[in-house]
Amino acid sequence: MEQTNESWRILIVEDDERLAELTREYLESNGLTVSLETHGGPAVERIRNEQPDLVVLDLMLPGEDGLSICRRVRPFYSGPIIMLTARTDDLDQVLGLEMGADDYIGKPVKPRVLLARIRAMLRRVTEAGQGSADEASGEEPVRLQFNDLVVDRSMREAWLSDESIDLTSAEFDLLWLLASNAGRVLSREEIFTALRGIEYDGQDRSIDVRVSRIRPKIGDDPIHPRRIKTVRSKGYLFVKEA
């Protein structure tokens, strides 16, 4: 059964209680189910036990910071994580992505922007789960194979030599986008718009960070990649026969 907005469960981990409550009220008024956690300490176990559809995670928290929480939950939580940061330092954003965050938003957070990012991210996950119907109708493949690498959109999983690859939601989305366009160079602008639904500002490094994380996971050489190649001044190319 297709999941609707009304059944999407969001966990917000934010120590600013007033901001968290206001954000919850806005998201719930737009059909989402929202729960709150204001301390970093219990956040890991709550994510483990509740398995929300998406986590909104503040970077600076009492008890345990967002980077540590993100790193610790990734072995058992595959849902999207949006990190909130009051800092503008690129290093914090890159660290968040390297720890497994799928997206980040600068504070102060505009509720409409947060809602749009949440919906876009969950919609991609939901639509990917409906891939079997596309395969039955012959519209779009849901499983791609490149020698020992297999990527399955309906299961949102990938395997290398029959071994499951540990990918975050955003990493899988990027891998599928590149693999389903194998043999064609995709610009950063195309990738950014397809994955985040907003215009590329020319400075965001999230795509590059994710590519660097995906390469070793799919058996690619990070220094001399043969499967996901960087095309200077253009973008990225997934090679069909690597």
Side-chain angles (χ1 to χ4, degrees):
M1 180 179 297
E2 180 179 350
Q3 190 171 23
T4 62
N5 291 19
E6 287 72 18
S7 62
W8 283 338
R9 297 172 298 111
I10 313 299
L11 174 63
I12 298 177
V13 186
E14 165 64 71
D15 64 323
D16 185 330
E17 294 186 31
R18 182 174 179 276
L19 174 61
E21 285 291 350
L22 289 172
T23 303
R24 171 159 70 176
E25 289 176 10
Y26 182 81
L27 295 180
E28 289 187 337
S29 71
N30 282 275
L32 302 177
T33 299
V34 182
S35 56
L36 301 180
E37 176 55 60
T38 58
H39 197 279
V44 171
E45 286 309 308
R46 285 200 61 179
I47 295 171
R48 182 195 301 272
N49 296 331
E50 297 176 20
Q51 291 293 313
D53 294 304
L54 182 144
V55 175
V56 178
L57 180 62
D58 191 19
L59 178 64
M60 303 300 294
L61 293 163
E64 186 170 1
D65 66 71
L67 291 174
S68 174
I69 293 169
C70 191
R71 176 182 55 80
R72 289 180 60 200
V73 303
R74 269 317 180 194
F76 57 80
Y77 178 71
S78 60
I81 296 176
I82 297 178
M83 187 161 284
L84 306 180
T85 173
R87 301 178 181 175
T88 57
D89 190 348
D90 283 348
L91 179 60
D92 285 327
Q93 297 168 353
V94 171
L95 283 174
L97 295 169
E98 289 180 342
M99 291 299 103
D102 296 287
D103 200 355
Y104 54 84
I105 300 178
K107 298 173 74 173
V109 180
K110 295 181 179 179
R112 285 183 295 178
V113 172
L114 178 60
L115 176 63
R117 297 280 187 90
I118 289 173
R119 281 178 168 168
M121 199 161 285
L122 290 175
R123 192 176 298 116
R124 284 199 301 273
V125 174
T126 303
E127 288 172 353
Q130 298 164 9
S132 55
D134 292 337
E135 185 179 42
S137 64
E139 291 181 5
E140 188 176 337
V142 296
R143 175 170 287 211
L144 301 171
Q145 183 161 2
F146 305 91
N147 297 325
D148 56 347
L149 175 66
V150 178
V151 188
D152 191 299
R153 184 168 65 99
S154 62
M155 298 178 67
R156 293 186 64 79
E157 289 188 32
W159 299 268
L160 181 66
S161 300
D162 297 324
E163 293 290 328
S164 179
I165 302 173
D166 182 20
L167 295 167
T168 69
S169 179
E171 287 169 359
F172 179 86
D173 288 337
L174 177 54
L175 176 59
W176 177 264
L177 179 65
L178 292 170
S180 61
N181 287 277
R184 184 168 80 87
V185 177
L186 292 180
S187 68
R188 287 176 177 81
E189 290 80 0
E190 287 180 273
I191 297 171
F192 198 84
T193 301
L195 297 183
R196 295 184 64 180
I198 57 177
E199 189 174 339
Y200 182 58
D201 63 6
Q203 299 182 8
D204 191 290
R205 299 173 58 193
S206 59
I207 302 301
D208 303 313
V209 172
R210 288 193 187 113
V211 168
S212 69
R213 283 177 55 84
I214 291 170
R215 277 173 171 153
K217 293 182 179 184
I218 63 173
D220 217 354
D221 185 338
I223 300 175
H224 302 291
R226 59 187 179 84
R227 190 157 260 158
I228 302 178
K229 291 185 175 292
T230 302
V231 181
R232 188 180 297 275
S233 302
K234 291 185 177 180
Y236 291 101
L237 169 68
F238 189 97
V239 181
K240 290 182 179 181
E241 299 295 334

